[in-house]
Amino acid sequence: MAELSAELLILVLRLGIVAVVYLFLFAVFLTVRRELRAQERGAQEAPGRLVVVDGGNSGLPAGHSLPLRPVTTIGRSSHCTLVLNDTFVSGMHAVLTWRGGQWWLRDAGSTNGTLLNQTPVPLDEVPLQFGDVIDIGRIRLKLAA
């Protein structure tokens, strides 16, 4: 009888441990899901857009508005957030990042460089303001709210 009692106690303890592990994993799942949804909402809240000032040979008409994401990659590659079809645009040309309530621009090591208000952008990030004009290849884009 004592053996049966001990075995039953061990079984209950094992089941209890398994239940605690599953509850822990479920709590982790809920926390990760909540954080991902919060990041997604934050990703949609990055203000701003790029307005085409001069589309060069890309076929983009002047005045056309391009939406921005919190991290926007710009280039000729189909993997970029904004694809610009111009032979003077590198595969991965530049990166715009929304951080700390401000836009930042970085040249991604492009062949022809990136200009900000007609000044070459260094390889490190530079802050942007609404109204700044960015030249990528033969395309001129204006950062607008």
Side-chain angles (χ1 to χ4, degrees), residues 47-66:
R49 58 197 166 94
L50 291 175
V51 177
V52 177
V53 175
D54 182 357
N57 293 333
S58 68
L60 292 170
H64 183 73
S65 182
L66 303 167

Side-chain angles (χ1 to χ4, degrees), residues 83-104:
V83 178
L84 300 177
N85 293 316
D86 184 319
T87 55
F88 285 86
V89 175
S90 295
M92 171 69 79
H93 199 101
V95 180
L96 281 168
T97 306
W98 177 255
R99 186 176 61 251
Q102 183 172 16
W103 283 106
W104 295 82

Side-chain angles (χ1 to χ4, degrees), residues 25-138:
L25 290 174
F26 185 68
V28 168
F29 169 77
L30 290 177
T31 302
V32 168
R33 188 176 75 171
R34 183 178 62 237
E35 290 296 319
L36 288 174
R37 286 186 176 169
Q39 284 180 355
E40 184 178 302
R41 280 191 301 274
Q44 297 169 351
E45 294 174 7
R49 58 197 166 94
L50 291 175
V51 177
V52 177
V53 175
D54 182 357
N57 293 333
S58 68
L60 292 170
H64 183 73
S65 182
L66 303 167
L68 294 174
R69 292 188 181 169
V71 176
T72 302
T73 54
I74 304 170
R76 204 171 55 217
S77 169
S78 62
H79 299 293
C80 290
T81 310
L82 292 178
V83 178
L84 300 177
N85 293 316
D86 184 319
T87 55
F88 285 86
V89 175
S90 295
M92 171 69 79
H93 199 101
V95 180
L96 281 168
T97 306
W98 177 255
R99 186 176 61 251
Q102 183 172 16
W103 283 106
W104 295 82
L105 173 65
R106 178 178 57 87
D107 184 89
S110 64
T111 304
N112 295 313
T114 303
L115 300 177
L116 174 60
N117 299 322
Q118 300 188 351
T119 303
V121 173
L123 290 179
D124 55 336
E125 290 182 317
V126 293
L128 296 177
Q129 296 180 16
F130 291 115
D132 283 344
V133 176
I134 303 166
D135 290 297
I136 297 178
R138 293 178 282 197

